Amino acid sequence: MTDSPTTLHIDATRDEATRTTLLRLSGEIDVSAAAAFEPLHRQPPADPQVVMDFAAVARINSMGLAQLLRLLEHWRGQGLRLEARGLNRTLSMLFKMTGLMRYFAGPEGAAAAVASASAPAAGVMPPGVRPVAARPAGPPQMRRIVRPGAAVPATPVSPSPVPPAVASAPSVPPMPVPTSVLPAMFAAAAPPPGDRLDFLVSQQNSQQLTGWYYLNTLLQRTLGRTVSLSVEDFEDGAAAGRTRAHAPALVFARPFDACALMQQHGYLPVVRPQDDCDEVSLIVRHDDARATLTDFAGAQVVTALERSFVFVLGRFFCDECGLDSAGLPRRFAGSEIAALKMLLSGQAELLFMSSRGHERLSALARAGTRVLERSETRVASHLLLLHPSCQALVQPLREALTGLAQHDKGRQALQDLGMNGWDVPAPEEVEMLLMLYRRYAG
């Protein structure tokens, strides 16, 4: 139990015909949820089937997950059949990554009848749970994978020739799996003393350089401090290998490196670009007759880089589709073009490629391939991070960056960066990103 006021409310209805209890949760599931769950723990629903509707849950954190896990484990011991409904994208992924989804069955069977009930049936509710009128339960709001629907050939056809734009890439030998470590440029423990803020940027693309220098000038004026900008490629061996006397106060990093900085050095997430997310497309040759991921047990996987969320998301979706990613031999080609060439030349059977990169390929470069799966997670984005010793600057930076679109100079900076704006990432989205990182790389 907790002394904190609960922000979670649970409304209950019963369908006596199907012997099903429907629990509608609303609010936030955090440490205070123990108070709302306690009556249900003390007196589980009398019906053998329980449907939990999460459509009105605003957020859930790690402490809330622990409270929910405790309740579900207790109910499973009581032999109850459980079903989850109304899971949005964030909750659905959280449940999968933390293993909570294993407690829930699918929406088939008698439990589905609850959604169409027009009024609650009489019955005894656990103390502390409010009976309310029944209302339809909406379908899950997250589509984890989009299947493009390309037809699978009934019989294999002769392999397509490798497009010239791809064939010119050098052959890449297998690479060992390196450990997840930060580049040497982040070895320093603290920023320099004084008012200077070192700002290290890993660009999204080469056209952003002017925009970063313009934004750097705006930040100096807003914060009243010297901001020293340095643009680096974290994947460049020479740049990443250079040690720095001091840690950068501000870092704009790819999602993988951002997670490493938050996990290993306690960097704080400040903002992220709007409409910028890494997604993965799982690609096979078009003459490969296998139709689902589970058909690729033991298949040779190729991708550009291990230190990327394209690789992390590819593994996650394999695992969630029933294909054990740990049992897949893998090769890292160094670039997406080289990885595509390896797939088309028969050196690999399954390609993890960024969806953005695949969309930008020419029709010729895409010839001979088929997209088997494509993710729609919208969680793995670049992040602007702040060193924990500079925590007092989090709010001023957020106000300055999210407000850029409100004045001419800010709009010019956004235009030069090719961005629509900045958003503050929700805590549960950052937590979900870190869960994925810890599971596959941390």
Side-chain angles (χ1 to χ4, degrees):
M1 293 290 292
T2 177
D3 295 330
S4 303
T6 182
T7 58
L8 175 67
H9 300 284
I10 305 174
D11 299 326
T13 61
R14 292 189 65 213
D15 187 325
E16 289 188 340
T18 60
R19 300 182 64 201
T20 301
T21 296
L22 172 61
L23 301 175
R24 295 188 178 93
L25 291 75
S26 59
E28 298 184 0
I29 303 179
D30 52 24
V31 67
S32 69
F37 288 148
E38 181 60 30
L40 293 166
H41 191 279
R42 187 171 58 250
Q43 182 180 333
D47 294 312
Q49 301 181 86
V50 179
V51 177
M52 302 185 77
D53 186 349
F54 294 89
V57 171
R59 64 182 296 267
I60 182 170
N61 63 18
S62 58
M63 293 301 293
L65 287 169
Q67 301 299 329
L68 181 57
L69 175 62
R70 175 175 173 267
L71 178 67
L72 297 178
E73 184 67 32
H74 178 63
W75 281 357
R76 185 166 69 171
Q78 301 293 314
L80 298 181
R81 182 181 184 276
L82 308 175
E83 179 189 331
R85 287 189 180 165
L87 293 173
N88 61 25
R89 172 181 54 85
T90 300
L91 290 183
S92 183
M93 288 195 67
L94 274 174
F95 280 23
K96 289 178 183 298
M97 285 186 290
T98 56
L100 282 179
M101 197 61 81
R102 70 180 184 272
Y103 291 94
F104 297 104
E108 65 278 351
V114 176
S116 60
S118 59
V124 178
M125 293 294 115
V129 179
R130 306 192 305 271
V132 297
R135 64 182 184 270
Q141 301 172 31
M142 174 192 171
R143 292 187 64 196
R144 180 171 55 84
I145 293 178
V146 173
R147 291 177 171 81
V152 180
T155 56
V157 297
S158 57
S160 301
V162 178
V166 177
S168 60
S171 178
V172 181
M175 293 179 64
V177 179
T179 56
S180 175
V181 295
L182 278 167
M185 65 172 70
F186 297 111
D195 288 337
R196 193 187 83 196
L197 300 174
D198 288 344
F199 185 9
L200 185 61
V201 167
S202 176
Q203 296 187 104
Q204 295 166 289
N205 58 70
S206 58
Q207 284 73 47
Q208 289 185 321
L209 188 60
T210 300
W212 284 116
Y213 278 104
Y214 191 26
L215 180 62
N216 187 75
T217 300
L218 293 180
L219 288 178
Q220 290 188 97
R221 294 173 181 172
T222 300
L223 300 175
R225 299 176 65 168
T226 300
V227 181
S228 179
L229 178 68
S230 178
V231 177
E232 303 277 6
D233 181 357
F234 295 178
E235 299 300 331
D236 182 286
R242 288 195 297 267
T243 57
R244 293 170 172 267
H246 301 285
L250 282 166
V251 182
F252 181 71
R254 300 180 182 96
F256 190 96
D257 292 311
C259 284
L261 286 167
M262 290 187 287
Q263 176 81 7
Q264 300 180 33
H265 289 293
Y267 273 77
L268 307 171
V270 180
V271 291
R272 66 180 182 189
Q274 293 178 1
D275 306 319
D276 165 69
C277 288
D278 283 356
E279 301 291 354
V280 64
S281 289
L282 279 64
I283 300 170
V284 299
R285 290 185 298 276
H286 88 277
D287 60 329
D288 195 321
R290 288 172 285 187
T292 66
L293 275 176
T294 53
D295 297 329
F296 284 82
Q300 176 71 57
V301 171
V302 66
T303 192
L305 302 168
E306 186 189 19
R307 292 179 54 84
S308 76
F309 254 83
V310 169
F311 180 53
V312 168
L313 288 173
R315 289 196 60 186
F316 172 67
F317 285 113
C318 285
D319 289 337
E320 291 306 316
C321 288
L323 175 63
D324 181 11
S325 69
L328 298 174
R330 63 201 71 164
R331 303 173 77 178
F332 304 104
S335 73
E336 292 196 320
I337 291 296
L340 179 61
K341 184 251 183 179
M342 290 179 66
L343 174 76
L344 293 174
S345 63
Q347 299 177 64
E349 301 166 82
L350 185 60
L351 167 65
F352 297 170
M353 188 175 192
S354 72
S355 295
R356 185 185 296 112
H358 183 257
E359 290 165 0
R360 290 174 178 171
L361 289 175
S362 66
L364 181 62
R366 286 197 301 269
T369 68
R370 174 168 57 90
V371 178
L372 188 67
E373 304 281 6
R374 179 178 292 129
S375 70
E376 282 187 351
T377 60
R378 301 188 296 278
V379 297
S381 62
H382 282 65
L383 285 171
L384 180 68
L385 305 171
L386 185 66
H387 193 276
S389 66
C390 305
Q391 185 172 2
L393 295 176
V394 169
Q395 193 57 32
L397 282 167
R398 284 177 172 171
E399 292 175 358
L401 292 169
T402 58
L404 286 177
Q406 299 174 13
H407 54 88
D408 290 341
K409 292 182 178 180
R411 286 190 289 270
Q412 182 62 54
L414 291 173
Q415 181 178 338
D416 290 346
L417 289 168
M419 295 181 185
N420 295 322
W422 297 89
D423 285 332
V424 177
E428 62 269 21
E429 291 178 331
V430 175
E431 188 171 4
M432 184 164 55
L433 193 67
L434 286 168
M435 282 183 182
L436 276 169
Y437 172 82
R438 295 182 191 116
R439 179 171 172 178
Y440 293 108

